[in-house]
Amino acid sequence: MKEISEIQRIVSEYIDKQNFAGAPHQLYDPVEYTIRQSGKRMRPTLCLLACDLFGGDVQKALDPAIATEVFHNFTLIHDDIMDQAPIRRGKETVYKKWNSNIAILSGDVMLTMAFRYALNTDKDCAADMLDALCRVSVEICEGQQFDLNFETQPEVSIDEYLEMIRLKTAVLLGAALKMGAIAARASEENKKAIYDFGIALGMAFQLKDDLLDCYGDAKVFGKAIGGDIVENKKTFMCLKALEKAAKDDRDRLTSILAGKTVFEDKDVKIKEVLALYDKYGIRQEAENLMTAYYDKALEILDSIDAPQKDKSVLREYAESLYGRNK
Amino acid sequence: MKEISEIQRIVSEYIDKQNFAGAPHQLYDPVEYTIRQSGKRMRPTLCLLACDLFGGDVQKALDPAIATEVFHNFTLIHDDIMDQAPIRRGKETVYKKWNSNIAILSGDVMLTMAFRYALNTDKDCAADMLDALCRVSVEICEGQQFDLNFETQPEVSIDEYLEMIRLKTAVLLGAALKMGAIAARASEENKKAIYDFGIALGMAFQLKDDLLDCYGDAKVFGKAIGGDIVENKKTFMCLKALEKAAKDDRDRLTSILAGKTVFEDKDVKIKEVLALYDKYGIRQEAENLMTAYYDKALEILDSIDAPQKDKSVLREYAESLYGRNK
């Protein structure tokens, strides 16, 4: 089993070697621009780790791994148009740097490229690989649509929120791991288990993201703290606060979320909402739920039929995501 | 070999049987809305005709055939956002009826569905099928980007225009035919030939579309005549007019195309441009080029190694597209 740093180096070098240029350049420039930004590259890393765990040749999982990264970047480009997000990873988003039309089209071409990369594997597992990617692609569209709906939906339950983040975030981690397992010709049972591990890890990952958005260090996290509060995002924390708060606090929070309360300054708004979270122990609630998902992920990993020392590499990677501060 | 009407009935019945519903309904309603509108369904028809021509079982090409139709509808939904087109097939476009975000996402889900349909075939030809769809998907994005570029590009050559319509229109006809041939396990030579037939047919089809836009009967054609002229589209006709016109007429047309000439009424604009086309025999030029592509298509069809009586069905279908008035 390879070390995490080695897997990350392989991913990074392979992405660097890819040529995303083409004509017309207006279509391909945003592809280059997005892929060359080095995010965590968590999805291809998970894909190769799973392949290695099940004794596969990571070289054969490289193109499917890139597929998950290209696919992830496609979702970011289209989401940023919908959310009108100006900044991503500290840089202008594609729709802002170019325009919406170019962002739609370059996103479309990246979705297609993702399928092409996933196809670039042994012929006998191409169909399984594509099937995994098709599933996740449909689910992510569903998750994003639920997320858009939540903006205007008066009441969102915690279950609905958890289902939305499962679809929008967790399934791609599951699929990336499963695609690595497919390349390694893992058993059906192992493919399912590593997928489930990814789902639980993905849920913990998103809850951590929500926590960092409230309690992170802006300089380390890479974006302003309190963004979700400013944008009235219905996160687990905010929904939990609505559930636990006494009537007057709940009414106040409902009014804030509906955009009915006007603040002189966004920092005043963030401060007030965080004070409500403190009052009702919301940070702890989110940390507890995140830890529960994380523990579940490790429990699934433990149950997988693979050498303990190999599983410890994935465990270590999961720990780094759990403990991350960015 | 089945008759065209039988193939069309099979396509239509199979599409009717499909269930495109799902949750959240905001994502799936536009899918139903678009697919249920019966356009020409030319692409799935061509797919099944090719499968039948090469002795394949059309039942096995049904899902790939639907893939081409779902894919085509995805391109329309995204193109309509980019072109801000309010009406398509006499009905409101998705972005107009719902909104741009829903149109982006439901288009994304349709592109994914197209890949899933293409996968739904014998495992040993799934990779070839997906490869054909991936290629065309990238090319159509390129074609659309070239088309967007032409709006602001001061000079567009006729060659550039022809390459744009090859990418934007012809390649999908070629791919639909090729996918039918793949399902029929046709030889590499035949797959290439039927694809080339589709390219030539697609070029003729688009030139016919440009002609109908100027000289069609609005009631039969289903949209207002002169739309391309009103929108300053750089079509073959307009580019040929620029090439053939004397300096003063060319300057006038250049000014019109650049939106520098203001007209009291769009009908006045259409009338003036059509008068220029008449003066320089542009209608005839377009018909000649269309016929040349059509003849080339038939020549390729003739050269294909398949029974003459079976090829005559595809010839008849090509004739119906050539002679169409809508």
Side-chain angles (χ1 to χ4, degrees), chain A residues 26 28 78 108 112 137 142, chain B residues 28 78 108 112 137 142 149:
Chain A
Q26 291 88 345
Y28 291 99
H78 278 192
D108 291 345
T112 307
S137 180
E142 291 173 353
Chain B
Y28 291 99
H78 278 193
D108 291 345
T112 307
S137 181
E142 292 173 352
N149 289 353

Side-chain angles (χ1 to χ4, degrees), chain A residues 213-214 221 223-233 266 270:
Chain A
D213 194 83
C214 286
F221 190 42
K223 49 185 175 181
I225 296 308
D228 290 345
I229 294 172
V230 173
E231 288 167 32
N232 302 325
K233 282 255 175 196
K266 67 179 169 26
I270 295 169

Side-chain angles (χ1 to χ4, degrees), chain A residues 305-325:
Chain A
D305 175 27
Q308 206 54 249
K309 67 171 179 25
D310 293 347
K311 288 195 282 188
S312 67
V313 181
L314 258 175
R315 172 185 276 269
E316 189 194 324
Y317 191 66
E319 267 164 15
S320 73
L321 295 176
Y322 177 76
R324 76 195 162 102
N325 49 21

Side-chain angles (χ1 to χ4, degrees), chain B residues 173-224:
Chain B
L173 270 55
L177 287 155
K178 187 179 174 182
M179 286 163 74
I182 291 169
R185 310 290 201 281
S187 67
E188 287 304 317
E189 204 183 343
N190 279 340
K191 281 190 275 190
K192 185 181 179 316
I194 203 74
Y195 176 82
D196 290 344
F197 162 74
I199 297 293
L201 188 65
M203 297 300 284
F205 180 84
Q206 185 57 51
L207 288 164
K208 178 84 188 189
D209 228 50
D210 294 354
L211 276 160
L212 286 171
D213 195 84
C214 286
Y215 305 106
D217 176 338
K219 271 177 277 170
V220 184
F221 190 41
K223 50 184 175 183

Side-chain angles (χ1 to χ4, degrees), chain B residues 43 71-72 75-76 79 83 88 136 139-148 161-173 203 206 233:
Chain B
R43 293 147 196 89
F71 178 83
H72 174 58
T75 66
L76 300 182
D79 283 6
D83 301 340
R88 159 89 59 191
V136 79
E139 288 174 331
I140 282 185
C141 290
E142 292 173 352
Q144 172 67 1
Q145 185 65 54
F146 279 123
D147 201 12
L148 290 172
Y161 175 74
L162 294 176
E163 173 63 2
M164 185 276 285
I165 65 170
R166 186 185 73 84
L167 292 167
K168 197 169 161 174
T169 303
V171 289
L172 184 53
L173 270 55
M203 297 300 284
Q206 185 57 51
K233 283 256 176 194

Side-chain angles (χ1 to χ4, degrees), chain A residues 23-24 26 28 78 82 101 104-105 108 111-112 115-116 123 128 134-135 137-138 142 145-146 149, chain B residues 23-24 26 28 78 82 101 104-105 108 111-112 115-116 123 128 134-135 137-138 142 144-146 149:
Chain A
Q26 291 88 345
Y28 291 99
H78 278 192
M82 298 181 230
N101 285 353
I104 292 173
L105 265 186
D108 291 345
L111 174 52
T112 307
F115 283 108
R116 286 198 105 159
K123 264 207 168 179
D128 278 354
C134 282
R135 268 171 212 274
S137 180
V138 166
E142 291 173 353
Q145 185 65 53
F146 278 123
N149 289 353
Chain B
Q26 291 87 345
Y28 291 99
H78 278 193
M82 296 182 232
N101 286 352
I104 292 172
L105 265 186
D108 291 345
L111 174 52
T112 307
F115 283 110
R116 285 198 106 158
K123 264 206 167 180
D128 279 354
C134 282
R135 267 171 213 274
S137 181
V138 166
E142 292 173 352
Q144 172 67 1
Q145 185 65 54
F146 279 123
N149 289 353

Side-chain angles (χ1 to χ4, degrees), chain A residues 194-210:
Chain A
I194 203 73
Y195 177 82
D196 291 343
F197 162 74
I199 297 292
L201 188 67
M203 298 300 285
F205 181 84
Q206 185 57 50
L207 288 164
K208 178 84 188 189
D209 227 52
D210 294 353

Side-chain angles (χ1 to χ4, degrees), chain A residues 177-188:
Chain A
L177 288 155
K178 187 178 174 182
M179 286 163 74
I182 291 169
R185 310 289 200 281
S187 67
E188 287 304 318

